[in-house]
Amino acid sequence: MASAFSGFAAANDTIIIKAVGTWDYFTNYQKHEGPFWNQRIADVSDGQIVGEIKPHTELGLQGYEIMRLVKNGVFDFAFGLPGYVVPESEIFEGADLSSLVQDIDVQKQVANAYFPTLERAFAEKYNAKLMMLYPFPSQMLWCNSQISSIEDLKGKRIRVFLTTLGDFVEGVGAVPVSVPYKDVPDALEKGIVDCVITGTMSAYTSKLYKVASHGFTLRVGWGLAFGAMNMNKWNLLSEEQKVLLQNELSALTKSMWQETATEDAIALACLSDGPCSIGEVGNMKLVEPSVSDLRVRNKVATEVILPRWAERCGPECAANWNRTVGKVLDLRAEAKDLNQ
């Protein structure tokens, strides 16, 4: 009877998962990350799994600290961007190398192809289980002067937040400048930078249209993000709980991909001449990349972005990328032979 009682108690123990989210002022946290852990998972598990999440902006954390805290068990789960984890290994950049992908459906194929690689890396570096990959709205260029083509970026100071974005900026003859997101409007207004790279919706919600006149809609990245869980905590779950959590996170991932595609279109309409269902119209001039712009982009990708990343990541890492993402995109990452 005692053993039956202890089994009953164990089955009814509540698992509490302490999670860290991304930015509280972006819709990914407001619509998806926050509601999932603060309410959804408790509802569908009948209270067996209860989540508690706060965005890293509220917790005052720097990105690079977050997965280290997950590794140490301070948090059980984290949403984050590759920039958080690249200091540990350049392998984490591989699913979102700058400017390679212009289409969200292709980006999803890239994420799926690279998932097993990232899964291994999270396990090895952080004792964490990679649960999901999802995108923020696509990253584009927003400038305080007229931009008609990729050539007009030459010599400009451009805000970046990832090494691979810096490679793109240098590849087009511009100067990368690191500026925290909260300081972006101020940096543009004061002329500290001439252009910034940020997502379409973040450009709108931070009202960049008040300080930037032009948007160049070349996609230079996707802000591909991850959700990962401390492996020790994962192993505390029963098999039924693991299946439930994976199924719920799969559904969350699907809705985030769908919403990002929709958000891109809404944000671009709102930044330009409308119609805008979420606020005022920005009246920015949006310039689509021409065929010749895309040719330049291809050249920068193959001659600068991929070789530099292959150099940072090493031969084994690059060979793995070529077998996975490279096959999807029909591209190869190879470090330049300095002896040629």
Short mmCIF file of all heavy atoms in Angstrom, two decimals, residues 30-64:
data_model
loop_
_atom_site.label_atom_id
_atom_site.label_comp_id
_atom_site.label_asym_id
_atom_site.label_seq_id
_atom_site.Cartn_x
_atom_site.Cartn_y
_atom_site.Cartn_z
N GLN A 30 5.27 38.08 -26.80
CA GLN A 30 3.91 38.44 -26.36
C GLN A 30 2.87 37.40 -26.79
O GLN A 30 1.97 37.06 -26.00
CB GLN A 30 3.53 39.80 -26.94
CG GLN A 30 4.39 40.94 -26.44
CD GLN A 30 4.28 42.19 -27.30
OE1 GLN A 30 3.55 42.21 -28.30
NE2 GLN A 30 4.99 43.24 -26.93
N LYS A 31 2.99 36.89 -28.01
CA LYS A 31 1.96 35.99 -28.54
C LYS A 31 2.29 34.51 -28.36
O LYS A 31 1.38 33.68 -28.34
CB LYS A 31 1.76 36.26 -30.04
CG LYS A 31 1.12 37.59 -30.36
CD LYS A 31 0.84 37.65 -31.85
CE LYS A 31 0.17 38.96 -32.25
NZ LYS A 31 -0.12 38.99 -33.70
N HIS A 32 3.56 34.17 -28.27
CA HIS A 32 3.92 32.76 -28.32
C HIS A 32 4.70 32.27 -27.10
O HIS A 32 4.24 31.40 -26.37
CB HIS A 32 4.73 32.47 -29.60
CG HIS A 32 3.98 32.79 -30.85
ND1 HIS A 32 2.90 32.06 -31.27
CD2 HIS A 32 4.15 33.77 -31.77
CE1 HIS A 32 2.44 32.56 -32.41
NE2 HIS A 32 3.17 33.60 -32.72
N GLU A 33 5.88 32.84 -26.89
CA GLU A 33 6.75 32.32 -25.82
C GLU A 33 6.09 32.46 -24.44
O GLU A 33 6.01 31.50 -23.67
CB GLU A 33 8.09 33.06 -25.83
CG GLU A 33 8.86 32.95 -27.13
CD GLU A 33 10.02 33.95 -27.18
OE1 GLU A 33 10.40 34.49 -26.13
OE2 GLU A 33 10.54 34.20 -28.30
N GLY A 34 5.61 33.67 -24.13
CA GLY A 34 5.00 33.93 -22.83
C GLY A 34 3.75 33.09 -22.57
O GLY A 34 3.69 32.34 -21.57
N PRO A 35 2.74 33.17 -23.45
CA PRO A 35 1.52 32.38 -23.22
C PRO A 35 1.77 30.87 -23.16
O PRO A 35 1.10 30.17 -22.40
CB PRO A 35 0.64 32.74 -24.43
CG PRO A 35 1.11 34.10 -24.83
CD PRO A 35 2.58 34.11 -24.56
N PHE A 36 2.75 30.38 -23.94
CA PHE A 36 3.00 28.93 -23.93
C PHE A 36 3.40 28.47 -22.55
O PHE A 36 2.83 27.50 -22.00
CB PHE A 36 4.09 28.56 -24.94
CG PHE A 36 4.38 27.08 -24.98
CD1 PHE A 36 3.62 26.24 -25.76
CD2 PHE A 36 5.39 26.52 -24.20
CE1 PHE A 36 3.86 24.86 -25.78
CE2 PHE A 36 5.64 25.16 -24.20
CZ PHE A 36 4.87 24.33 -25.01
N TRP A 37 4.40 29.13 -21.94
CA TRP A 37 4.89 28.65 -20.64
C TRP A 37 4.04 29.13 -19.48
O TRP A 37 3.88 28.42 -18.49
CB TRP A 37 6.35 29.06 -20.44
CG TRP A 37 7.29 28.23 -21.23
CD1 TRP A 37 8.10 28.64 -22.25
CD2 TRP A 37 7.52 26.82 -21.11
NE1 TRP A 37 8.81 27.58 -22.77
CE2 TRP A 37 8.48 26.45 -22.08
CE3 TRP A 37 7.00 25.83 -20.27
CZ2 TRP A 37 8.92 25.14 -22.23
CZ3 TRP A 37 7.45 24.52 -20.42
CH2 TRP A 37 8.40 24.19 -21.39
N ASN A 38 3.47 30.31 -19.59
CA ASN A 38 2.70 30.83 -18.45
C ASN A 38 1.29 30.24 -18.35
O ASN A 38 0.69 30.31 -17.28
CB ASN A 38 2.61 32.36 -18.54
CG ASN A 38 3.90 33.03 -18.10
OD1 ASN A 38 4.66 32.47 -17.31
ND2 ASN A 38 4.17 34.22 -18.61
N GLN A 39 0.78 29.67 -19.44
CA GLN A 39 -0.58 29.15 -19.37
C GLN A 39 -0.79 27.84 -20.13
O GLN A 39 -1.31 26.87 -19.58
CB GLN A 39 -1.56 30.21 -19.92
CG GLN A 39 -3.01 29.79 -19.78
CD GLN A 39 -3.97 30.90 -20.15
OE1 GLN A 39 -3.56 32.00 -20.49
NE2 GLN A 39 -5.25 30.61 -20.08
N ARG A 40 -0.40 27.81 -21.40
CA ARG A 40 -0.76 26.70 -22.28
C ARG A 40 -0.32 25.34 -21.73
O ARG A 40 -1.09 24.39 -21.68
CB ARG A 40 -0.14 26.93 -23.67
CG ARG A 40 -0.25 25.75 -24.64
CD ARG A 40 -1.63 25.55 -25.15
NE ARG A 40 -1.73 24.36 -26.01
CZ ARG A 40 -2.87 23.87 -26.46
NH1 ARG A 40 -4.01 24.46 -26.19
NH2 ARG A 40 -2.88 22.79 -27.21
N ILE A 41 0.93 25.22 -21.30
CA ILE A 41 1.46 23.91 -20.93
C ILE A 41 0.78 23.37 -19.66
O ILE A 41 0.55 22.18 -19.52
CB ILE A 41 3.01 23.92 -20.80
CG1 ILE A 41 3.55 22.49 -20.88
CG2 ILE A 41 3.47 24.64 -19.55
CD1 ILE A 41 3.32 21.81 -22.23
N ALA A 42 0.41 24.27 -18.74
CA ALA A 42 -0.32 23.84 -17.54
C ALA A 42 -1.72 23.35 -17.92
O ALA A 42 -2.20 22.34 -17.39
CB ALA A 42 -0.42 24.99 -16.54
N ASP A 43 -2.35 24.05 -18.86
CA ASP A 43 -3.70 23.67 -19.28
C ASP A 43 -3.72 22.28 -19.92
O ASP A 43 -4.54 21.43 -19.56
CB ASP A 43 -4.26 24.69 -20.29
CG ASP A 43 -4.57 26.04 -19.64
OD1 ASP A 43 -4.60 26.10 -18.39
OD2 ASP A 43 -4.79 27.02 -20.38
N VAL A 44 -2.80 22.03 -20.86
CA VAL A 44 -2.85 20.77 -21.62
C VAL A 44 -2.29 19.59 -20.83
O VAL A 44 -2.56 18.44 -21.16
CB VAL A 44 -2.12 20.88 -22.98
CG1 VAL A 44 -2.81 21.91 -23.87
CG2 VAL A 44 -0.64 21.21 -22.80
N SER A 45 -1.51 19.88 -19.78
CA SER A 45 -0.95 18.78 -18.96
C SER A 45 -1.75 18.56 -17.69
O SER A 45 -1.32 17.78 -16.82
CB SER A 45 0.51 19.07 -18.61
OG SER A 45 0.59 20.15 -17.68
N ASP A 46 -2.89 19.23 -17.56
CA ASP A 46 -3.70 19.15 -16.34
C ASP A 46 -2.87 19.49 -15.10
O ASP A 46 -2.99 18.86 -14.05
CB ASP A 46 -4.31 17.75 -16.17
CG ASP A 46 -5.34 17.44 -17.25
OD1 ASP A 46 -6.03 18.39 -17.70
OD2 ASP A 46 -5.44 16.27 -17.66
N GLY A 47 -1.99 20.46 -15.26
CA GLY A 47 -1.19 20.94 -14.13
C GLY A 47 0.01 20.08 -13.79
O GLY A 47 0.73 20.38 -12.84
N GLN A 48 0.28 19.03 -14.57
CA GLN A 48 1.47 18.21 -14.31
C GLN A 48 2.76 18.98 -14.61
O GLN A 48 3.77 18.81 -13.94
CB GLN A 48 1.45 16.94 -15.17
CG GLN A 48 0.44 15.90 -14.75
CD GLN A 48 0.57 14.65 -15.59
OE1 GLN A 48 1.68 14.19 -15.87
NE2 GLN A 48 -0.55 14.09 -16.01
N ILE A 49 2.70 19.80 -15.66
CA ILE A 49 3.84 20.65 -16.02
C ILE A 49 3.38 22.10 -15.93
O ILE A 49 2.41 22.49 -16.57
CB ILE A 49 4.34 20.35 -17.44
CG1 ILE A 49 4.65 18.87 -17.63
CG2 ILE A 49 5.57 21.20 -17.76
CD1 ILE A 49 4.98 18.49 -19.06
N VAL A 50 4.08 22.87 -15.12
CA VAL A 50 3.74 24.28 -14.95
C VAL A 50 4.96 25.11 -15.35
O VAL A 50 6.07 24.86 -14.87
CB VAL A 50 3.33 24.59 -13.50
CG1 VAL A 50 3.13 26.09 -13.31
CG2 VAL A 50 2.06 23.84 -13.14
N GLY A 51 4.74 26.05 -16.23
CA GLY A 51 5.84 26.89 -16.69
C GLY A 51 5.82 28.26 -16.03
O GLY A 51 4.77 28.78 -15.65
N GLU A 52 7.01 28.83 -15.88
CA GLU A 52 7.16 30.21 -15.42
C GLU A 52 8.19 30.85 -16.33
O GLU A 52 9.33 30.38 -16.40
CB GLU A 52 7.67 30.26 -13.97
CG GLU A 52 6.77 29.59 -12.96
CD GLU A 52 7.43 29.49 -11.58
OE1 GLU A 52 8.62 29.88 -11.47
OE2 GLU A 52 6.77 29.02 -10.64
N ILE A 53 7.80 31.88 -17.06
CA ILE A 53 8.73 32.50 -18.00
C ILE A 53 8.78 34.00 -17.81
O ILE A 53 7.76 34.63 -17.51
CB ILE A 53 8.36 32.16 -19.46
CG1 ILE A 53 9.45 32.67 -20.43
CG2 ILE A 53 7.00 32.70 -19.85
CD1 ILE A 53 9.29 32.18 -21.86
N LYS A 54 9.97 34.55 -17.98
CA LYS A 54 10.14 36.00 -18.05
C LYS A 54 11.09 36.28 -19.22
O LYS A 54 12.01 35.49 -19.49
CB LYS A 54 10.72 36.56 -16.75
CG LYS A 54 9.70 36.56 -15.62
CD LYS A 54 10.21 37.31 -14.41
CE LYS A 54 9.12 37.37 -13.34
NZ LYS A 54 9.61 38.00 -12.09
N PRO A 55 10.90 37.40 -19.91
CA PRO A 55 11.82 37.74 -21.00
C PRO A 55 13.18 38.16 -20.45
O PRO A 55 13.26 38.69 -19.33
CB PRO A 55 11.12 38.93 -21.69
CG PRO A 55 10.28 39.54 -20.62
CD PRO A 55 9.84 38.42 -19.72
N HIS A 56 14.23 37.92 -21.22
CA HIS A 56 15.56 38.26 -20.71
C HIS A 56 15.70 39.76 -20.50
O HIS A 56 16.49 40.21 -19.67
CB HIS A 56 16.66 37.73 -21.65
CG HIS A 56 16.87 38.52 -22.90
ND1 HIS A 56 16.30 38.18 -24.10
CD2 HIS A 56 17.60 39.64 -23.14
CE1 HIS A 56 16.66 39.06 -25.02
NE2 HIS A 56 17.45 39.95 -24.46
N THR A 57 14.90 40.56 -21.24
CA THR A 57 14.94 42.01 -21.07
C THR A 57 14.47 42.41 -19.66
O THR A 57 15.02 43.33 -19.06
CB THR A 57 14.05 42.68 -22.12
OG1 THR A 57 12.87 41.89 -22.34
CG2 THR A 57 14.76 42.82 -23.45
N GLU A 58 13.49 41.70 -19.14
CA GLU A 58 13.00 41.99 -17.78
C GLU A 58 13.97 41.48 -16.73
O GLU A 58 14.12 42.07 -15.66
CB GLU A 58 11.62 41.34 -17.60
CG GLU A 58 10.94 41.69 -16.29
CD GLU A 58 9.58 41.00 -16.14
OE1 GLU A 58 8.85 40.89 -17.15
OE2 GLU A 58 9.27 40.58 -15.01
N LEU A 59 14.64 40.37 -17.04
CA LEU A 59 15.58 39.77 -16.08
C LEU A 59 16.94 40.47 -16.07
O LEU A 59 17.77 40.20 -15.21
CB LEU A 59 15.77 38.28 -16.42
CG LEU A 59 14.54 37.40 -16.22
CD1 LEU A 59 14.74 36.05 -16.90
CD2 LEU A 59 14.23 37.22 -14.74
N GLY A 60 17.15 41.36 -17.06
CA GLY A 60 18.41 42.09 -17.13
C GLY A 60 19.59 41.24 -17.56
O GLY A 60 20.73 41.51 -17.19
N LEU A 61 19.32 40.20 -18.35
CA LEU A 61 20.38 39.28 -18.77
C LEU A 61 20.94 39.67 -20.15
O LEU A 61 20.20 40.16 -21.01
CB LEU A 61 19.84 37.85 -18.85
CG LEU A 61 19.42 37.20 -17.54
CD1 LEU A 61 18.72 35.88 -17.82
CD2 LEU A 61 20.63 36.98 -16.64
N GLN A 62 22.21 39.44 -20.34
CA GLN A 62 22.83 39.55 -21.66
C GLN A 62 22.62 38.21 -22.37
O GLN A 62 22.58 37.16 -21.73
CB GLN A 62 24.33 39.83 -21.53
CG GLN A 62 24.65 41.11 -20.80
CD GLN A 62 24.14 42.34 -21.52
OE1 GLN A 62 24.27 42.48 -22.72
NE2 GLN A 62 23.51 43.23 -20.76
N GLY A 63 22.50 38.25 -23.67
CA GLY A 63 22.21 37.03 -24.43
C GLY A 63 23.17 35.89 -24.16
O GLY A 63 22.76 34.75 -23.93
N TYR A 64 24.48 36.20 -24.13
CA TYR A 64 25.47 35.13 -24.03
C TYR A 64 25.42 34.39 -22.69
O TYR A 64 25.91 33.28 -22.56
CB TYR A 64 26.89 35.70 -24.25
CG TYR A 64 27.35 36.63 -23.16
CD1 TYR A 64 27.97 36.14 -22.02
CD2 TYR A 64 27.16 38.01 -23.27
CE1 TYR A 64 28.39 36.99 -21.01
CE2 TYR A 64 27.57 38.87 -22.26
CZ TYR A 64 28.18 38.36 -21.14
OH TYR A 64 28.57 39.20 -20.14
#
